[in-house]
Amino acid sequence: MRVALFVTCVNDTLFPGTGRATVRLLERLGCRVEFPEAQTCCGQMHFNTGYREDAMPLALRVGEVFSGYDAVVMPSGSCAAMVRDWYPTLGVEPPSGVYELSEFLVDVLKVEDVGAYFPHSVTYHPTCHSLRSLRVGDRPHALLSSVRGLTLLPLGGADECCGFGGTFSLKNPAVSAAMCTDKVRHVLDTGAEVLCAVDNSCLMHIGGTMRRERAGVRVMHLAQILASTEGNPA
């Protein structure tokens, strides 16, 4: 398959390792991965803050840049939800075949065991957009459960928001911090070594709080765990 990687702004600027891990994983599974260098922001930040007219040209550009591929894969539930679910409300036709990473692996490639090896205990946080907008369900759990050496631990209060919410955390910092404190408490209760999610924005928020508390728990995107092998560990 000829697959386009939509890396997203957060990953491009702050977590480039997630993009590289996504490419390694997809190529290992036989995909031909391309990175359209003309890609820019999907417009989610503008849209969610109420600046829909400013989001329009960004949405139109995404449609142009990512046309003609067999699939467009995003290592981000929030950006995938923006493009697939919210572009139509702007009157913009999204590119065909837009998938969050776990959706693409399970639904399109029909694979749960991707040949990964990660000998650590992991708990999974279902981010709000992946849970409520995309409804990815147990796809990430199925993928993680198939990783050799990985122990998947259940997260209490998993369906509760971590408090990031993009500009919500800027406009309501006290509420955001309190929500994140609750989420961190649930993470620490699992005893896991690693917290995993499909959105680095949420991992940045939760991870920042855990670093300040010296919790000793790593945060890792799903792509990084699935790309990990014995020969090339994450």
Side-chain angles (χ1 to χ4, degrees):
M1 295 186 68
R2 182 169 172 255
V3 175
L5 171 64
F6 193 143
V7 73
T8 80
C9 299
V10 168
N11 290 330
D12 185 45
T13 56
L14 298 174
F15 303 97
T18 295
R20 291 193 290 268
T22 302
V23 172
R24 288 200 309 274
L25 173 62
L26 294 179
E27 288 183 341
R28 192 171 79 217
L29 296 174
C31 296
R32 173 186 166 192
V33 185
E34 298 183 15
F35 180 81
E37 294 187 5
Q39 64 182 279
T40 56
C41 177
C42 69
Q44 179 189 178
M45 179 177 65
H46 312 70
F47 181 86
N48 288 346
T49 313
Y51 296 97
R52 299 195 171 193
E53 290 186 6
D54 294 312
M56 277 290 294
L58 294 169
L60 291 170
R61 183 178 181 86
V62 168
E64 295 171 0
V65 171
F66 287 94
S67 64
Y69 290 95
D70 295 324
V72 179
V73 177
M74 301 184 183
S76 166
S78 62
C79 293
M82 174 64 191
V83 173
R84 204 167 73 200
D85 295 347
W86 294 105
Y87 275 15
T89 69
L90 293 171
V92 176
E93 184 70 22
S96 61
V98 172
Y99 298 95
E100 179 272 326
L101 178 61
S102 71
E103 292 180 313
F104 180 72
L105 295 173
V106 175
D107 297 349
V108 180
L109 297 187
K110 306 296 183 183
V111 61
E112 292 181 359
D113 186 347
V114 299
Y117 175 73
F118 191 74
H120 302 283
S121 57
V122 177
T123 192
Y124 173 75
H125 165 62
T127 62
C128 289
H129 282 97
S130 67
L131 179 68
R132 297 176 175 86
S133 294
L134 297 181
R135 295 180 172 84
V136 301
D138 64 355
R139 293 175 182 86
H141 285 93
L143 291 160
L144 290 169
S145 296
S146 299
V147 175
R148 288 186 301 116
L150 187 149
T151 301
L152 185 59
L153 302 172
L155 178 65
D159 60 350
E160 297 175 8
C161 177
C162 72
F164 178 67
T167 54
F168 173 85
S169 60
L170 300 178
K171 295 178 179 179
N172 304 276
V175 176
S176 173
M179 294 170 72
C180 193
T181 296
D182 288 342
K183 179 63 65 173
V184 167
R185 175 169 48 81
H186 288 307
V187 172
L188 297 182
D189 285 345
T190 69
E193 300 170 77
V194 177
L195 171 66
C196 173
V198 299
D199 281 281
N200 272 324
S201 53
C202 298
L203 288 176
M204 176 177 64
H205 184 55
I206 303 169
T209 298
M210 290 197 296
R211 282 192 299 274
R212 287 191 293 273
E213 295 183 2
R214 295 178 172 83
V217 180
R218 282 195 293 166
V219 295
M220 294 183 68
H221 192 280
L222 177 67
Q224 294 172 288
I225 293 177
L226 298 183
S228 178
T229 61
E230 288 189 72
N232 188 13

